[in-house]
Amino acid sequence: MRWSQTIFAVLVAFSLVLCSGGNAWASSYEQLKWIEGGRKVDLGNVAEVDLDPSLLFLDAANTAKVSEMNHDKPSGNEIGSIFPKDENQSWEVIFEYDEVGHIKDDEKEDIDADAILDNYKKGTEESNKEKAESDRLYVTGWDVEPFYNEATHNLTWSMLGEDGNKKKLINYNVRLLTRQGFISAILVSDPAHLDADKKFLNEEILPKLTVKSGERYEEFNASTDKISEYGLTGLILGGAGLAVAKKAGLLLLLGGLLKKFGILIFAAGAGVLGVVGKFFAKLFRRKKTKAVQDETNDREHTETLP
């Protein structure tokens, strides 16, 4: 189960929140074990992040609980998620880890952005044949062409698109290659703050993410480690030749639901950047912050006991 499906469940939960006032959901939100920044936190067994004091963190188990709270089945790949403390901000970053084998980066100088874009366009065009015009998805170009940072082993790309009503769509994808797979950093933001949130991710979070010893890309052991069936191009296309048209069908379903609630989703075939809306985030941000403060106060009180 990927985060595209999780976003679908979030939206279903959101509709229930609007009807019920959100009391039960907010109560569950407070029960999550939030970790305050100013310390290093583990992303599963594969990496760690030196978390800024302005941030909050959920470990793998609590990130999965969010899926369950949204009536979704966790993917099993969650390794953590990061949120801002500031209730006026409404972004989050979700991390997943896929152990698909060691992905060779020998395509790093030969990533054919034009061919990849054409693949996406053809895939979505094929899918559009069975859709009403208002439900169609069109890939229009690159926001950021795919590029690979050999020093950090990060693969990044951002694609532009629009729906049948000419509403703009965008995605933002970061993949961090490891010894035996890759970490996905999935940014959830709102349209007005996307550029600023991308900047924060790339300057304040990813540079402070460290892959643990034994899991680093350069520690690959050809005699013992599995090699992935696809390379960098395959990773951008979704891995192992995943059908873009099939993916696009799910995205169109999501787009239709979002239109119903007046919320815009940014997404693309290989990985997902969803926009759930500032209202949804603000609805529970204050309660979350209060829960963190209460937990901190309880911990401090406990530590002073004889």
Side-chain angles (χ1 to χ4, degrees):
M1 188 80 68
R2 303 298 299 166
W3 272 95
S4 53
Q5 293 160 294
T6 300
I7 292 170
F8 180 89
V10 167
L11 294 169
V12 173
F14 182 47
S15 66
L16 297 176
V17 167
L18 293 179
C19 297
S20 67
N23 293 333
W25 206 98
S27 177
S28 297
Y29 210 67
E30 290 182 345
Q31 294 174 16
L32 295 170
K33 294 183 179 179
W34 297 95
I35 297 175
E36 291 190 271
R39 69 187 76 183
K40 289 184 178 180
V41 293
D42 285 330
L43 290 173
N45 297 319
V46 71
E48 64 181 12
V49 178
D50 191 357
L51 200 65
D52 188 85
S54 67
L55 302 175
L56 299 171
F57 178 77
L58 291 177
D59 64 12
N62 281 273
T63 299
K65 283 182 182 178
V66 173
S67 294
E68 294 172 346
M69 288 161 53
N70 295 325
H71 309 287
D72 189 20
K73 182 179 179 181
S75 69
N77 294 327
E78 301 90 355
I79 54 175
S81 49
I82 294 175
F83 303 77
K85 280 186 184 178
D86 186 351
E87 65 183 44
N88 293 314
Q89 298 183 43
S90 57
W91 58 266
E92 64 182 286
V93 178
I94 302 143
F95 293 96
E96 293 190 349
Y97 176 63
D98 289 79
E99 193 169 302
V100 297
H102 185 79
I103 298 174
K104 291 186 176 181
D105 64 359
D106 48 9
E107 297 176 273
K108 56 182 175 288
E109 302 295 339
D110 301 303
I111 298 175
D112 192 335
D114 291 338
I116 293 171
L117 185 65
D118 185 59
N119 186 293
Y120 270 96
K121 286 183 176 180
K122 288 180 178 178
T124 53
E125 287 171 3
E126 187 65 28
S127 177
N128 285 340
K129 291 179 180 179
E130 299 180 359
K131 307 292 182 182
E133 176 60 33
S134 61
D135 292 330
R136 292 176 182 175
L137 178 70
Y138 300 91
V139 174
T140 60
W142 293 111
D143 171 40
V144 177
E145 289 192 4
F147 69 92
Y148 178 71
N149 186 324
E150 188 173 6
T152 60
H153 308 293
N154 288 13
L155 178 64
T156 304
W157 71 94
S158 182
M159 190 175 293
L160 298 170
E162 63 183 23
D163 65 13
N165 296 316
K166 302 298 181 181
K167 184 170 289 185
K168 291 185 178 180
L169 310 170
I170 189 171
N171 80 319
Y172 187 71
N173 298 275
V174 180
R175 304 289 183 268
L176 299 83
L177 304 189
T178 66
R179 175 180 174 178
Q180 301 183 81
F182 65 92
I183 298 170
S184 298
I186 304 164
L187 173 65
V188 180
S189 177
D190 72 66
H193 301 91
L194 179 61
D195 286 341
D197 295 341
K198 286 195 300 185
K199 187 173 186 292
F200 190 88
L201 170 66
N202 286 312
E203 294 183 1
E204 302 297 332
I205 296 179
L206 293 182
K208 299 178 182 180
L209 187 156
T210 304
V211 178
K212 294 182 179 180
S213 178
E215 298 293 339
R216 296 167 188 160
Y217 187 80
E218 57 272 18
E219 294 176 305
F220 169 69
N221 187 331
S223 64
T224 60
D225 296 341
K226 171 187 173 183
I227 296 178
S228 174
E229 296 179 354
Y230 54 89
L232 298 180
T233 296
L235 186 54
I236 298 169
L237 291 174
L242 207 58
V244 175
K246 191 173 182 180
K247 283 274 194 174
L250 174 60
L251 298 176
L252 292 170
L253 175 65
L254 289 169
L257 183 61
L258 284 159
K259 283 184 235 176
K260 181 178 179 181
F261 290 107
I263 303 169
L264 176 63
I265 186 169
F266 295 147
V272 174
L273 165 57
V275 177
V276 183
K278 295 194 79 173
F279 176 82
F280 181 80
K282 287 183 177 180
L283 188 61
F284 305 110
R285 186 79 65 199
R286 188 176 299 276
K287 287 183 174 291
K288 179 183 69 176
T289 304
K290 180 179 183 299
V292 172
Q293 185 60 54
D294 289 345
E295 183 178 340
T296 301
N297 291 340
D298 290 343
R299 183 172 62 249
E300 290 176 351
H301 174 71
T302 302
E303 290 173 352
T304 61
L305 293 177

